Amino acid sequence: MDYIYADHAATTPLLDQARSAMEPWLGENFANASSLYKSGSLARKAVESARRKIANILGADYEEIFFTSGGTESNVSALRGASDAGTQTFICSAIEHHSVLETVKRLGSLGMHTEFVYPEQDGTVTPEAAARNAAKDSLVSVMLANNEIGTIEPIKEIADAVHEKDGIVHCDCVQAAGHIPLSLHKSGVDLASFSAHKFGGPKGAGILYVKRGTPYLPLFTGGAQEWHMRAGTENVAGIVGMAEALEVSCADIESERVRLEKIRAEILSGISKIPYVRINSCAAQCLPGFINVSFSFIEGENIATVMNGKNIAVSPGSACAAGSHDPSHVLTALGLDRSTAIGAVRISLGRTSSQSDAPAIVAALSETVDFLRYLVPKWREMMGNK
Ligand code: PLP
């Protein structure tokens, strides 16, 4: 059987167009974009033209886009940078990525006031809950789409509600960018994070959006790169590849959504026939290719391992939690009990997915679940097969 990659939320394959765009900057044109000679100024032009392209696509101004090494750096910089500029209170949803959660916890240990907001059962963070305790000098961080269950958050309404209380808003757009339409100015957020490898770009390249006038001091101090907003030699190839990947993935966002939703529907319909199953991802406001599902009596990690033996890559919850036996903080925040959370698997479709993957994934999952449950005495007992 061919290999089926169904873990696009962990990372996406590099798009051919991004690879081609990067090649010259990895080869003969290796110059530092800050160098004044000809090859350096060519690299500078490439970086600035990527910035212009990205600003256009994301609905932001050119001067508001800063390049980083990825989603984690952008998230940490946004929060620490706001803190250094005087923000005193940090409020985030309890289902944020660890790079946000752990940074908020650290800020708490440094004496800031911190708070974690719990979502509704489908993962939605309501504007009321997000803004409830916001005030002047507070930052509220809510992601645009969740990396485990795919829930899309009402970010414009959240930003409006927080702004009414004079707070600022950071939005982790890492999973959403290139997969659902987004205009930063229209969204109203003040700070936003992006990572190239989640939309067909290279690993190690990211974006931090800082709306003009936002209280922010750079985390990386040093050289004058990025107008003193992020010191360090620019990753020219990464930046060029990221801009290309964003352009390609945003060009057919709607047709990709329709295509992926069709594959997802077939998988969901097949999975629903497996007994003792719980669909954790909501259908209504969800990223197109996301399925998060729990199977009672067994563990997601074992399911993913057996599926791997069948040449299908899926993830037990979030990739960042792999290797840990703790239940996912996202599923726990939704109110799932420990064993249901531990029994979860994430299937995330993307550009390499095709309709024929659906029956193959469903068949492999059914076999895997049957096999693993048969090893569980409690299950055999329940089935009357002592
Ligand atoms: N934020 C979200 C929602 C993510 O899913 C991830 C990666 O899994 C990150 C941030 C971190 O991004 P990076 O891998 O570029 O550091």
Side-chain angles (χ1 to χ4, degrees):
M1 191 209 265
D2 287 345
Y3 176 65
I4 296 178
Y5 182 70
D7 199 18
H8 288 81
T11 196
T12 56
L14 186 65
L15 287 166
D16 289 342
Q17 296 94 324
R19 187 192 303 269
S20 306
M22 290 169 74
E23 252 154 29
W25 310 103
L26 292 167
E28 77 272 18
N29 208 332
F30 56 85
N32 188 318
S34 299
S35 297
L36 295 177
Y37 36 79
K38 200 167 154 201
S39 54
S41 73
L42 281 177
R44 167 61 50 210
K45 270 195 190 140
V47 168
E48 299 316 320
S49 125
R51 197 188 312 275
R52 230 173 274 286
K53 189 188 273 190
I54 287 169
N56 255 329
I57 297 171
L58 295 180
D61 287 344
Y62 165 77
E63 297 83 359
E64 296 172 322
I65 298 294
F66 304 100
F67 296 123
T68 67
S69 66
T72 298
E73 184 191 321
S74 297
N75 281 343
V76 176
S77 300
L79 302 176
R80 303 286 306 226
S83 161
D84 285 357
T87 300
Q88 304 281 341
T89 297
F90 290 83
I91 300 168
C92 72
S93 89
I95 59 170
E96 292 303 304
H97 187 260
H98 288 292
S99 54
V100 168
L101 288 175
E102 293 304 316
T103 306
V104 170
K105 285 181 197 161
R106 173 68 65 84
L107 289 167
S109 74
L110 294 173
M112 308 290 154
H113 177 69
T114 61
E115 204 179 298
F116 299 90
V117 175
Y118 278 78
E120 305 289 291
Q121 264 193 343
D122 64 354
T124 306
V125 179
T126 66
E128 299 72 42
R132 188 166 298 130
N133 294 328
K136 194 169 160 25
D137 296 335
S138 18
L139 177 148
V140 176
S141 182
V142 177
M143 63 210 321
L144 184 50
N146 184 268
N147 52 306
E148 294 193 34
I149 50 174
T151 306
I152 300 169
E153 302 296 349
I155 200 69
K156 166 86 176 81
E157 291 75 12
I158 290 173
D160 288 348
V162 173
H163 288 154
E164 253 177 50
K165 304 261 191 100
D166 292 328
I168 60 169
V169 177
H170 164 250
C171 184
D172 176 344
C173 301
V174 166
Q175 286 292 337
H179 304 284
I180 55 169
L182 165 67
S183 166
L184 285 167
H185 281 173
K186 285 190 190 146
S187 76
V189 303
D190 304 282
L191 296 149
S193 308
F194 300 84
S195 178
H197 75 101
K198 307 287 188 178
F199 51 79
K203 291 165 185 62
I207 302 160
L208 175 64
Y209 161 77
V210 185
K211 190 168 82 185
R212 203 178 275 110
T214 303
Y216 175 85
L217 283 172
L219 181 67
F220 283 24
T221 45
Q225 292 93 350
E226 303 292 295
W227 305 299
H228 293 278
M229 287 288 271
R230 196 275 190 182
T233 301
E234 288 97 340
N235 172 4
V236 180
I239 291 166
V240 169
M242 171 163 65
E244 186 68 23
L246 189 64
E247 184 171 46
V248 171
S249 55
C250 288
D252 60 355
I253 239 173
E254 184 52 21
S255 56
E256 254 315 87
R257 180 186 67 77
V258 172
R259 195 181 73 81
L260 293 180
E261 282 186 352
K262 208 164 152 238
I263 308 174
R264 176 176 63 180
E266 188 178 337
I267 297 175
L268 275 175
S269 140
I271 286 179
S272 309
K273 298 193 178 93
I274 300 174
Y276 298 97
V277 66
R278 182 191 194 280
I279 309 295
N280 303 318
S281 42
C282 76
Q285 285 299 319
C286 187
L287 286 175
F290 255 74
I291 297 173
N292 188 305
V293 57
S294 288
F295 298 94
S296 304
F297 304 98
I298 52 181
E299 296 191 0
E301 201 164 312
N302 294 334
I303 299 172
T305 305
V306 176
M307 291 287 280
N308 177 44
K310 294 175 184 291
N311 272 337
I312 299 181
V314 297
S315 160
S318 140
C320 296
S324 126
H325 267 276
D326 290 338
S328 137
H329 69 284
V330 174
L331 299 180
T332 310
L334 300 189
L336 267 65
D337 60 56
R338 186 183 162 83
S339 70
T340 310
I342 281 184
V345 175
R346 178 186 69 187
I347 299 164
S348 49
L349 309 170
R351 280 180 188 267
T352 63
S353 308
S354 66
Q355 198 69 43
S356 63
D357 292 351
I361 290 174
V362 171
L365 253 182
S366 305
E367 278 173 24
T368 301
V369 169
D370 271 358
F371 166 72
L372 288 172
R373 279 181 176 162
Y374 189 72
L375 302 176
V376 179
K378 195 169 159 212
W379 172 261
R380 291 205 302 274
E381 223 171 86
M382 239 183 72
M383 294 292 119
N385 183 8
K386 296 172 202 170

